[in-house]
Amino acid sequence: MAKVISQDVGAFYQHYPKAAIIVTAHAKEKDNAMAVAWHTSISSNPPLYGVAISSKRFTYELIIDSKEFGVNFLSLEAAELVAAVGGSKGKEVDKFHQFNIATDKSIKTEVPILNTAYAAYECKLVDDRSYGDHQLLVGEIVAVHWLKDAFAPGEILDLDKVNPILYMGKEIYTTTSKDMARALDRKVYGKR
Ligand SMILES: Cc1cc2nc3c(=O)[nH]c(=O)nc-3n(C[C@H](O)[C@H](O)[C@H](O)COP(=O)(O)O)c2cc1C
């Protein structure tokens, strides 16, 4: 296979797939939700999570207003919902009503937690930094919601129970395959 090396970086989709998640917010007596593919854990102590969100998004306005956001992890069955909240604007429509989104009560914030999420984080905003055309919002995780049955011992996702949504870019969604999972102990492999 020929390798292409180019200084014309373009949209750089080469690092996909990425887990597609739904970020939620509440402010001005409004709930909102948007799809996010650009997100990452940043620190375990304190527990920090980062999401890259354009300042054009209504969700961004709500997060800056409330200083809180929710991070919701979903299985492939919710891919249509990801496309729905990622294809509509909270400024124009009440997405929770329009897409019939059921929520659970949050405990440390006012952010809506999606009832169908196999895991969700409630975050308090600790930083908002501008990088190019997106803002990197960093939140301290102050509460974790998770479906105990969806996780194997050691709190790792049980792929027999949940197929997490992966986003390929260009509106394509897929998931993981349990058959391809391999346990490779870094202590063993680091010594070879
Ligand atoms: C799969 C997917 C992933 C997305 N990832 C991001 C992202 O990481 N950051 C971002 O700012 N927008 C992202 N978007 C776009 C927003 O979800 C979209 O603009 C949404 O309409 C914003 O809603 P709001 O204006 O109600 O906040 C993504 C959209 C999709 C469909």
Side-chain angles (χ1 to χ4, degrees):
M1 267 193 269
K3 210 173 240 184
V4 177
I5 304 172
S6 171
Q7 290 185 56
D8 177 12
V9 175
F12 67 100
Y13 278 94
Q14 288 83 353
H15 61 287
Y16 286 67
K18 299 270 301 166
I21 61 167
I22 293 182
V23 168
T24 47
H26 172 92
K28 304 170 181 158
E29 289 170 17
K30 279 187 178 164
D31 285 336
N32 198 40
M34 68 177 277
V36 165
W38 298 358
H39 58 96
T40 182
S41 44
I42 288 178
S43 161
S44 53
N45 186 21
L48 300 178
Y49 208 83
V51 291
I53 292 183
S54 161
S55 60
K56 292 182 190 148
R57 317 294 184 224
F58 185 54
T59 310
Y60 176 74
E61 267 180 59
L62 298 186
I63 295 173
I64 294 308
D65 199 295
S66 63
K67 309 256 180 298
E68 297 177 347
F69 61 93
V71 176
N72 297 266
F73 300 92
L74 298 141
S75 56
L76 191 64
E77 294 91 78
E80 284 89 354
L81 181 64
V82 170
V85 300
S88 53
K89 293 183 193 312
K91 226 173 213 159
E92 295 165 4
V93 64
D94 175 349
K95 299 189 200 183
F96 282 82
H97 180 71
Q98 176 90 2
F99 305 123
N100 210 7
I101 306 174
T103 58
D104 289 341
K105 271 224 160 1
S106 43
I107 57 164
K108 299 289 276 186
T109 64
E110 299 296 316
V111 299
I113 296 299
L114 303 199
N115 174 259
T116 52
Y118 62 80
Y121 300 151
E122 291 180 42
C123 298
K124 295 262 193 199
L125 187 68
V126 296
D127 199 20
D128 166 25
R129 219 166 274 253
S130 180
Y131 288 101
D133 55 11
H134 278 60
Q135 301 293 126
L136 178 61
L137 300 178
V138 178
E140 175 160 3
I141 302 168
V142 291
V144 179
H145 303 234
W146 51 293
L147 257 186
K148 202 160 190 292
D149 283 353
F151 288 82
E155 291 182 21
I156 79 157
L157 195 61
D158 185 341
L159 296 177
D160 276 332
K161 308 257 176 68
V162 172
N163 299 304
I165 310 179
L166 299 181
Y167 184 60
M168 299 291 294
K170 303 279 175 200
E171 322 299 334
I172 310 288
Y173 297 83
T174 185
T175 188
T176 47
S177 156
K178 164 87 177 171
D179 305 341
M180 299 302 286
R182 297 172 68 195
L184 304 172
D185 187 337
R186 68 181 79 177
K187 291 195 198 92
V188 174
Y189 279 79
K191 282 193 187 123
R192 282 177 8 144

